[in-house]
Amino acid sequence: MHAYYFDNLPGDQRAPHHGEELADIAILDKLGVLHWQIPVSTNGQYPEIDAIAKERDYKNRDVITITKEGLGELYESKIKMFYEEHMHEDEEIRYILDGSGYFDVREHPSDTWIRIAVSAGDLIVLPAGIYHRFTLDERNVIQAMRLFKDEPKWTPYNRDATTDTNPHRQHYLEVISVN
């Protein structure tokens, strides 16, 4: 995992858009973003992921693969949808098994984007209520294990006045203001 400020220049969202380096990765910690580097298993066993899942009460998981070939005609619309700024009322947990991409998170209170480059072996947890977006990188392939506290669901709430007052967003802001 590698994090830096997004440059906000026009261009393909899948390009690196590498701005200024984060001086301190503790910024992600302050935003509540958790991250680990866990080597991808060659035998399909994931004891470290299992331990984290148990500790954090993740009961379900699945694997998703996103490729241009796999999504066919839906590829461009899906990539645009993932890249809409949104939040969830649940944590977003992804363990990257193959490929690579970017999670962009909003720094608070500056509202600047921090780009987090993820690749195989990265486990990232975005807290409920954080504004974020996702895109593949220029390789156009990622395979990720998704972990869930309860039944798998992925409900995005695109940023607007309503999401700014969402109780999960408000709770997130309270938690990070204490950090």
Side-chain angles (χ1 to χ4, degrees):
M1 188 193 84
H2 179 71
Y4 52 89
Y5 287 100
F6 186 80
D7 66 13
N8 286 316
L9 296 175
D12 187 340
Q13 69 193 41
R14 292 167 275 211
H17 288 278
H18 206 292
E20 179 186 336
E21 286 292 323
L22 285 182
D24 189 351
I25 204 74
I27 291 170
L28 293 179
D29 296 336
K30 181 168 175 36
L31 295 175
V33 175
L34 304 176
H35 46 89
W36 294 265
Q37 174 49 236
I38 300 169
V40 176
S41 171
T42 56
N43 66 6
Q45 302 297 310
Y46 294 96
E48 289 180 80
I49 298 294
D50 295 340
I52 292 167
K54 182 176 182 182
E55 174 187 323
R56 297 189 58 79
D57 200 27
Y58 303 145
K59 297 178 189 94
N60 294 298
R61 62 181 78 177
D62 67 10
V63 173
I64 185 170
T65 303
I66 303 170
T67 65
K68 201 170 195 171
E69 298 76 26
L71 290 175
E73 293 178 15
L74 296 175
Y75 177 76
E76 291 298 330
S77 65
K78 287 288 189 188
I79 291 300
K80 285 184 174 118
M81 180 188 76
F82 296 150
Y83 201 62
E84 289 289 321
E85 182 175 5
H86 63 279
M87 57 155 266
H88 302 286
E89 293 182 342
D90 299 308
E91 291 179 336
E92 182 165 328
I93 308 104
R94 301 292 182 266
Y95 175 56
I96 311 305
L97 298 167
D98 192 21
S100 47
Y102 302 112
F103 284 94
D104 297 337
V105 297
R106 284 284 189 190
E107 183 178 29
H108 183 78
S110 71
D111 223 25
T112 55
W113 284 114
I114 294 175
R115 176 154 274 194
I116 305 167
V118 294
S119 59
D122 289 328
L123 172 63
I124 187 167
V125 178
L126 303 181
I130 192 172
Y131 285 129
H132 66 282
R133 61 190 182 190
F134 171 78
T135 189
L136 294 176
D137 62 15
E138 294 167 317
R139 292 178 51 208
N140 291 318
V141 61
I142 198 163
Q143 182 180 53
M145 179 186 297
R146 304 184 303 175
L147 294 100
F148 305 93
K149 288 198 179 240
D150 293 305
E151 289 302 312
K153 68 178 181 177
W154 187 84
T155 306
Y157 296 92
N158 288 346
R159 187 174 186 176
D160 62 17
T162 305
T163 54
D164 285 341
T165 61
N166 179 294
H168 296 275
R169 174 69 180 165
Q170 292 301 305
H171 176 73
Y172 168 73
L173 293 174
E174 289 170 17
V175 168
I176 66 167
S177 71
V178 172
N179 292 341

